[in-house]
Amino acid sequence: MSPARVARGSNPLRDADDRRLPRIAGPCALVMFGVTGDLARKKLLPAIYDLSNRGLLPPGFSLVGFARRDWDDQDFTKIVYDAVRAGARTPFREEVWQGLEEGLRFVHGSFDDDEAFDELARQLQELDEQRGTGGNTAFYLSIPPSAFSTVTSQLERSGLSTPRPGSWKRVVIEKPFGHDLASARELNKTVERVFPADSVFRIDHYLGKETVQNLLALRFANQLFDPVWNANYVDHVQITMAEDIGIAGRAGYYDGIGAARDVIQNHLLQLLALTAMEQPNSFSAHELRAEKEKVLSAVRLPKDLSTATARGQYTAGWQGSEKVKGYLQEDGIDPKSTTETYAALKLDVHNRRWAGVPFYLRTGKRLGKRVTEIAVVFKRAPALPFTDTATEELGQNAIVIRVQPDEGTTIRFGSKVPGATMEVRDVTMDFGYGTAFNESSPEAYERLILDVLLGDPPLFPRHEEVELSWQILDPVEKFWARKGKPDGYEAGTWGPASADRLMERDGREWRLP
């Protein structure tokens, strides 16, 4: 700190430049469309309470729900209260709830109802006058993409999208960001016709997870890893998002979308970009996004998609001790559906750092366990001075970043087995968030909602990233559409045999998390 700053009376413990201090949102209101849905009830409303409980929301923060339900403010308050009591991460405190409750409002109406949006404008003006929101409003569109055009047009018509001098208006949209490149471009045009690009926040909740952000710290704050994070030492990278549940009542959304569009296009390609990107000059939104876009623009699919992709659809089987039905027997699913519930891809990153290093991405439902991880697997040490029998239980070194559920990092390396002979086998060195830190990790939506209210966009992909991701996936989807029915795999297993063959062709195998 400069002497001049100390001389002016600044407190070193409260320095505004100290990133260790919590960032508190300024005066604002949040309007939530789709407030009656599962996402709002299970994730968004509890996250708002947790932010308030941690002192990260301003005293006059206001939340307005918008839906077709014939509710009044008291009905909405009860819905929010029940969601908070059921899903909040932090302890319930009556004084915190009372402060939040005072800013709750509800507007009844459909998305094409002019009067409802005029009433929304009136309510926001009243909240500004009564609670000092400063005219700052974030609109959270937790609704199907097909409704984006109607809602943004209504926000424009009613003047809600136009900030007065000194205030801001922002819009938050949830995935899916289209279903292919053409629809993504159309969606981007629809939203950015009303809101400037830097006021559009596309939420990918995976990017708000503590472990995903820790990937940046692991790579760029430690000299230990950076020198070997390249093709000279890395054999391949595996990125896995496995779920042990089925479609969980989401037949209307999931059928016709499938695993690749639902997970690979957004979550897994974003994890690939963060794993493979060069060090940014800073963690500002501009610098971070630029490096991710360079990686995504360098991604290439192998020419023969029949050997570089795999897809599957779960059949009946055992999930632990429970007998579960197959995808085609799920409620609401067309018995002739060709939607995949498992997808795997092999990708190459055509740049100097990663030339010749394949990236394997896989995701699926009804797999062996719930886990999301990034595994950087290293080449075998050359010319080992050991006999074959001494190292027959030795695998390849690996750094595994566990995104969920047991957040942390594991390093796998070889160590001598105690005894008179030279025998080497794999051991692991483990770091877990739950044991290394006293404070539990915030939920991803806490971080992301706060970033929206602060206007801090590094964790939000802009439309260039979305379109680059669709450019990667579109050829795969077209190939699969011509191929027909996915391969079957029994629930509780680790996917179809075609996914194993994908790895075997390269002399590799999938990790067993």
Side-chain angles (χ1 to χ4, degrees):
M1 178 180 301
S2 68
R5 180 173 293 177
V6 175
R8 288 197 301 269
S10 68
N11 183 348
L13 298 179
R14 298 297 301 172
D15 193 315
D17 293 333
D18 191 340
R19 299 286 289 186
R20 294 169 297 180
L21 298 176
R23 298 174 301 156
I24 301 172
C28 60
L30 176 64
V31 177
M32 193 174 294
F33 296 92
V35 75
T36 58
D38 277 356
L39 178 64
R41 180 169 49 86
K42 294 179 179 178
K43 296 291 185 181
L44 304 182
L45 297 176
I48 288 169
Y49 170 82
D50 288 331
L51 287 172
S52 182
N53 204 7
R54 293 165 60 203
L56 299 177
L57 297 181
F61 174 80
S62 302
L63 173 65
V64 183
F66 187 106
R68 286 180 296 181
R69 302 290 175 88
D70 189 15
W71 292 343
D72 56 23
D73 288 350
Q74 288 183 330
D75 296 324
F76 180 55
T77 298
K78 178 66 164 57
I79 294 298
V80 178
Y81 178 84
D82 290 344
V84 166
R85 292 307 300 259
R89 179 180 64 88
T90 57
F92 185 83
R93 293 193 294 154
E94 187 64 35
E95 65 272 22
V96 173
W97 167 249
Q98 288 177 0
L100 194 61
E101 180 183 15
E102 291 174 1
L104 297 179
R105 302 288 188 275
F106 183 77
V107 175
H108 159 72
S110 60
F111 296 154
D112 59 358
D113 184 349
D114 290 359
E115 291 184 6
F117 279 83
D118 292 341
E119 173 63 15
L120 176 61
R122 190 192 68 78
Q123 291 272 17
L124 288 171
Q125 177 63 33
E126 185 177 282
L127 287 169
D128 186 14
E129 295 169 357
Q130 294 178 356
R131 295 179 59 80
T133 61
N136 301 317
T137 312
F139 301 97
Y140 200 120
L141 275 54
S142 181
I143 57 178
S146 58
F148 285 1
S149 178
T150 303
V151 171
T152 53
S153 295
Q154 285 282 20
L155 294 175
E156 182 181 37
R157 182 203 62 79
S158 58
L160 285 168
S161 63
T162 305
R164 67 174 188 242
S167 68
W168 51 259
K169 307 289 185 182
R170 297 172 187 141
V171 64
V172 184
I173 58 178
E174 282 273 357
K175 77 173 185 73
F177 310 124
H179 60 270
D180 58 14
L181 179 58
S183 61
R185 284 175 172 163
E186 186 61 34
L187 185 63
N188 289 330
K189 287 180 184 177
T190 295
V191 176
E192 293 184 7
R193 180 184 62 80
V194 177
F195 290 89
D198 60 359
S199 296
V200 179
F201 290 72
R202 297 167 181 81
I203 278 196
D204 182 342
H205 71 273
Y206 258 63
L207 300 187
K209 290 184 178 293
E210 200 71 34
T211 318
V212 173
Q213 298 166 56
N214 190 51
L215 174 59
L216 300 176
L218 180 82
R219 288 194 57 193
F220 304 128
N222 297 289
Q223 187 63 17
L224 177 64
F225 302 114
D226 187 63
V228 297
W229 209 268
N230 55 60
N232 293 329
Y233 299 95
V234 175
D235 179 76
H236 70 281
V237 178
Q238 296 185 28
I239 303 178
T240 298
M241 178 182 163
E243 297 180 277
D244 56 4
I245 60 171
I247 57 172
R250 298 171 68 218
Y253 163 77
Y254 196 86
D255 199 37
I257 297 294
R261 288 190 176 104
D262 188 40
V263 175
I264 290 181
Q265 182 273 331
N266 39 75
H267 300 331
L268 298 196
L269 284 176
Q270 282 288 320
L271 295 182
L272 181 152
L274 290 168
T275 302
M277 74 181 194
E278 298 297 323
Q279 179 174 313
N281 293 329
S282 71
F283 288 132
S284 69
H286 173 75
E287 298 286 354
L288 194 57
R289 287 166 163 176
E291 295 302 335
K292 287 196 293 178
E293 287 167 20
K294 288 178 186 176
V295 171
L296 293 173
S297 64
V299 170
R300 300 288 185 273
L301 285 165
K303 291 182 180 179
D304 187 357
L305 293 181
S306 65
T307 61
T309 69
R311 65 175 184 149
Q313 192 181 80
Y314 65 82
T315 59
W318 289 91
Q319 200 80 52
S321 60
E322 179 187 3
K323 180 72 172 177
V324 297
K325 53 191 173 183
Y327 179 73
L328 297 182
Q329 288 75 53
E330 298 277 13
D331 294 340
I333 297 298
D334 182 347
K336 297 181 180 179
S337 174
T338 59
T339 299
E340 83 280 354
T341 60
Y342 178 99
L345 304 180
K346 173 186 175 182
L347 300 173
D348 298 309
V349 179
H350 280 217
N351 61 21
R352 186 174 184 131
R353 179 182 289 270
W354 297 109
V357 177
F359 283 71
Y360 300 98
L361 279 56
R362 62 170 170 168
T363 183
K365 292 187 177 296
R366 289 289 184 211
L367 297 182
K369 65 185 288 190
R370 174 177 174 256
V371 63
T372 300
E373 67 173 34
I374 303 162
V376 180
V377 183
F378 291 88
K379 296 177 180 178
R380 296 185 185 277
L384 286 172
F386 302 96
T387 63
D388 290 341
T389 55
T391 59
E392 62 184 355
E393 294 187 54
L394 178 64
Q396 291 170 271
N397 298 156
I399 299 174
V400 182
I401 297 98
R402 301 188 307 276
V403 177
Q404 67 173 15
D406 180 21
E407 298 180 330
T409 303
T410 295
I411 299 176
R412 185 180 70 190
F413 57 96
S415 180
K416 181 185 176 299
V417 178
T421 60
M422 176 58 77
E423 182 185 354
V424 182
R425 70 174 59 162
D426 284 337
V427 296
T428 58
M429 187 160 53
D430 191 67
F431 152 69
Y433 266 89
T435 55
F437 298 105
N438 293 327
E439 183 177 352
S440 61
S441 297
E443 283 290 326
Y445 279 104
E446 290 178 52
R447 170 71 185 267
L448 295 171
I449 290 172
L450 181 59
D451 282 351
V452 169
L453 302 181
L454 290 166
D456 191 15
L459 297 178
F460 298 83
R462 60 182 174 186
H463 73 261
E464 289 89 348
E465 291 177 61
V466 173
E467 292 177 10
L468 284 168
S469 298
W470 281 120
Q471 286 179 21
I472 295 167
L473 190 60
D474 270 4
V476 177
E477 291 288 354
K478 290 175 182 176
F479 170 75
W480 285 346
R482 295 193 301 270
K483 192 176 178 182
K485 190 174 176 60
D487 300 323
Y489 65 95
E490 189 176 333
T493 64
W494 280 99
S498 55
D500 294 328
R501 291 195 296 270
L502 185 157
M503 297 292 279
E504 289 166 0
R505 292 185 190 99
D506 295 341
R508 300 183 176 97
E509 60 183 18
W510 292 110
R511 271 179 47 81
L512 189 62

